[in-house]
Amino acid sequence: MVRILVVEDEPSLRDGIVDLLTGDGHDITAVGDGVAGVEAGLRDPFDLVVLDLMLPRLDGMEVCRRLRSARPGMPILMLTARGSEDDKVRGLMEGADDYVTKPFSARELLARVRVLGRRTPQGESLDEVRVDGAVIDLARMVVVRGDARTTLTPREVGIVRWLFRHQDRVVTRAELLEQVFGQRGDLQTRAVDMAIAVLRKKVETDPAKPTLIVSVKGAGYAWRMSR
Ligand code: CA
């Protein structure tokens, strides 16, 4: 069972989502505007937030930003209107993890909810990732290895989060560039490689032989492929 906060102002759609997710065995809290969404999300740690973009009192982008800064590990699935590509990109930059475009099918929504809301393995959470001999504390932005503490930049936290959340597949350089760096363009993908090299020095036991952030030749990077 996953605890989900649904923030959607249109009553019929909200009821439909609540019925669908309740029927899938989840525990749902539903609210109808952005202010109530922030209040609920700050009050309780949810496993997932399903957040409409166009909301009264406080728009979804601002709700996303506030929840993300208070609870960096809480996954957010954005609901966007058809054709608003700019909104999707902006939403992901504000820290949303994924989006579905309205109108969406029940199957489509459930698939995204199952991926984002799934419990992470071995007691790991998106606030704290335990790796060989170290803890990557994403909320406090530090890597703790024995007595040594290394500070992470917001971008490095973003890279770790993105790779960790998408650990079932290879993540391309272009994707990291767009989703974490907020940039586009083939020429800039070198910046991704440089950032990964610096990050490996902080999180890998042996940066020369990375086992956590693995290079996949011709494709990009993957989180701990052996798992
Ligand atoms: Ca709406």
Side-chain angles (χ1 to χ4, degrees):
M1 184 175 76
V2 175
R3 297 185 63 215
I4 302 173
L5 171 63
V6 175
V7 189
E8 167 61 62
D9 58 311
E10 194 187 310
S12 60
L13 181 56
R14 184 172 66 238
D15 291 348
I17 293 172
V18 169
D19 287 349
L20 180 70
L21 297 179
T22 304
D24 201 38
H26 305 304
D27 179 13
I28 312 301
T29 298
V31 296
D33 67 68
V35 171
V38 171
E39 284 168 0
L42 296 184
R43 194 169 53 235
D44 294 308
F46 289 90
D47 300 314
L48 175 65
V49 180
V50 176
L51 177 63
D52 186 29
L53 184 62
M54 301 289 278
L55 288 168
R57 298 179 75 196
L58 197 63
D59 75 26
M61 212 69 83
E62 181 60 22
V63 173
C64 183
R65 208 180 56 73
R66 293 190 191 181
L67 291 181
R68 178 57 74 222
S69 66
R71 296 189 185 279
M74 192 161 68
I76 298 174
L77 175 65
M78 204 76 121
L79 308 178
T80 71
R82 180 193 287 276
S84 54
E85 289 294 326
D86 289 350
D87 289 340
K88 289 173 193 169
V89 172
R90 278 208 302 138
L92 291 166
M93 281 177 198
E94 292 291 345
D97 297 279
D98 204 352
Y99 60 84
V100 285
T101 306
K102 294 177 179 179
F104 45 81
S105 67
R107 175 197 289 256
E108 197 179 353
L109 183 65
L110 284 177
R112 305 294 175 91
V113 165
R114 283 171 185 154
V115 169
L116 285 179
R118 77 183 157 200
R119 304 282 181 175
T120 47
Q122 295 165 11
E124 288 176 330
S125 76
L126 291 165
D127 282 338
E128 191 179 278
V129 180
R130 290 179 179 277
V131 298
D132 305 329
V135 176
I136 306 174
D137 187 335
L138 296 174
R140 293 179 184 79
M141 299 174 60
V142 348
V143 181
V144 181
R145 191 182 295 276
D147 291 337
R149 294 167 71 87
T150 314
T151 308
L152 294 172
T153 65
R155 182 171 284 176
E156 287 166 344
V157 169
I159 293 172
V160 170
R161 277 182 48 213
W162 194 265
L163 290 172
F164 184 76
R165 285 216 175 114
H166 300 95
Q167 58 185 277
D168 50 340
R169 63 173 173 83
V170 174
V171 170
T172 66
R173 288 175 177 80
E175 181 183 344
L176 281 174
L177 190 68
E178 186 171 334
Q179 303 298 348
V180 181
F181 292 56
Q183 296 171 16
R184 286 169 189 257
D186 291 341
L187 291 174
Q188 274 74 44
T189 54
R190 173 110 182 90
V192 174
D193 294 333
M194 288 163 65
I196 294 275
V198 173
L199 179 56
R200 277 173 171 160
K201 287 185 182 141
K202 298 184 179 183
V203 301
E204 297 281 355
T205 309
D206 180 359
K209 290 177 189 157
T211 56
L212 207 53
I213 301 174
V214 184
S215 300
V216 181
K217 204 168 182 183
Y221 295 100
W223 184 264
R224 228 175 349 199
M225 283 294 273
S226 56
R227 273 174 44 172

